[in-house]
Amino acid sequence: MYQRVTKNLKLFVLSATALLGACATGYDMQDVEAVRDYVVANQLKEVDEFRYFRQINYTYINDQFLVVPIRTGDYLIEFRRGCRELRQSEFTYDMVDRRDSQNRIRAGFDTIRGCTIDKIYEISEAQRKELVNLGDAPGDEVYLPDDDD
C-alpha cells in the first residue's frame, strides 16, 4: 500500500509540475502570437536592415520581440528563438553581439544580446506605443481626467 501511495504522489507531483510549466509557456506564447498577429493585421513592412548612430537601446516586448527607436524611425525586431537575455540587466560573456557592419543592424546575421535577429519591421511611433501596451489588460492604463479649470 505504501508503494501505491508513493507512486500516486509522484504521479501527482509530475502532473502538477507539467501543468504549471505548460501554463507558464502558454502565457509567453500568447504574447508572442499577439505580436505576430499585430504584424499581419497591420501589414508591417519587413526590411533587411536599418542604420543606427549610437548604442542600441530597446524596449522589451517579450522574449521574441523588441522595439528599437532611433532618430530616423522605429523598428520591431523578431528573434529566431526566445531570447531571455533581453530581460537581464547585467551583461555576460555569451551576450556578445555580432555585427557585420559598424552602423547597421541586419536581419539573419546580426545579434542583440547574443540572440540572432530573424526579421525587422518598420513601425510608426503610434504602432510602437500600441506594441508596448499590447499585453496590458483593460483597466491597466492610468486614467487622468481632463482639467477643466
Side-chain angles (χ1 to χ4, degrees), residues 126-137:
Q127 290 170 325
R128 175 178 49 84
K129 290 177 183 178
E130 287 179 20
L131 284 161
V132 168
N133 295 318
L134 194 59
D136 291 345

Side-chain angles (χ1 to χ4, degrees), residues 108-121:
F109 300 99
D110 295 339
T111 64
I112 295 178
R113 291 264 171 158
C115 299
T116 304
I117 298 168
D118 188 33
K119 297 177 182 171
I120 302 171
Y121 301 97

Side-chain angles (χ1 to χ4, degrees), residues 49-83:
E49 65 182 33
F50 66 88
R51 292 179 54 108
Y52 69 99
F53 305 98
R54 295 195 174 121
Q55 180 178 350
I56 291 290
N57 293 314
Y58 61 83
T59 301
Y60 174 85
I61 303 296
N62 57 47
D63 286 354
Q64 196 86 26
F65 290 93
L66 58 82
V67 171
V68 175
I70 60 172
R71 71 178 182 205
T72 59
D74 296 332
Y75 294 91
L76 175 68
I77 294 183
E78 180 177 1
F79 293 93
R80 287 189 179 161
R81 62 169 179 80
C83 186

Side-chain angles (χ1 to χ4, degrees), residues 5-73:
V5 170
T6 304
K7 183 178 178 182
N8 287 340
L9 183 60
K10 286 181 185 178
L11 183 61
F12 174 76
V13 169
L14 286 173
S15 298
T17 303
L19 182 61
L20 287 173
C23 289
T25 303
Y27 179 74
D28 292 339
M29 288 310 295
Q30 286 178 344
D31 288 349
V32 170
E33 289 305 315
V35 176
R36 286 186 178 143
D37 289 345
Y38 184 89
V39 168
V40 172
N42 288 276
Q43 300 176 349
L44 297 184
K45 179 182 175 189
E46 187 174 345
V47 296
D48 294 328
E49 65 182 33
F50 66 88
R51 292 179 54 108
Y52 69 99
F53 305 98
R54 295 195 174 121
Q55 180 178 350
I56 291 290
N57 293 314
Y58 61 83
T59 301
Y60 174 85
I61 303 296
N62 57 47
D63 286 354
Q64 196 86 26
F65 290 93
L66 58 82
V67 171
V68 175
I70 60 172
R71 71 178 182 205
T72 59

Side-chain angles (χ1 to χ4, degrees), residues 2 4 7 13 18 33-34 38 42 73-74 79 87 91-92 99 101 107-108 110 115 120 122 125 128 140-141 143:
Y2 176 74
R4 177 190 255 167
K7 183 178 178 182
V13 169
E33 289 305 315
Y38 184 89
N42 288 276
D74 296 332
F79 293 93
R87 291 185 265 158
F91 198 80
T92 62
R99 299 275 193 275
S101 176
D110 295 339
C115 299
I120 302 171
E122 288 181 327
E125 183 178 343
R128 175 178 49 84
D140 283 351
E141 305 87 19
Y143 173 71

Side-chain angles (χ1 to χ4, degrees), residues 91-111:
F91 198 80
T92 62
Y93 72 92
D94 57 336
M95 293 180 189
V96 174
D97 287 335
R98 183 180 66 213
R99 299 275 193 275
D100 192 44
S101 176
Q102 186 176 7
N103 292 328
R104 293 188 184 277
I105 298 289
R106 298 182 324 148
F109 300 99
D110 295 339
T111 64

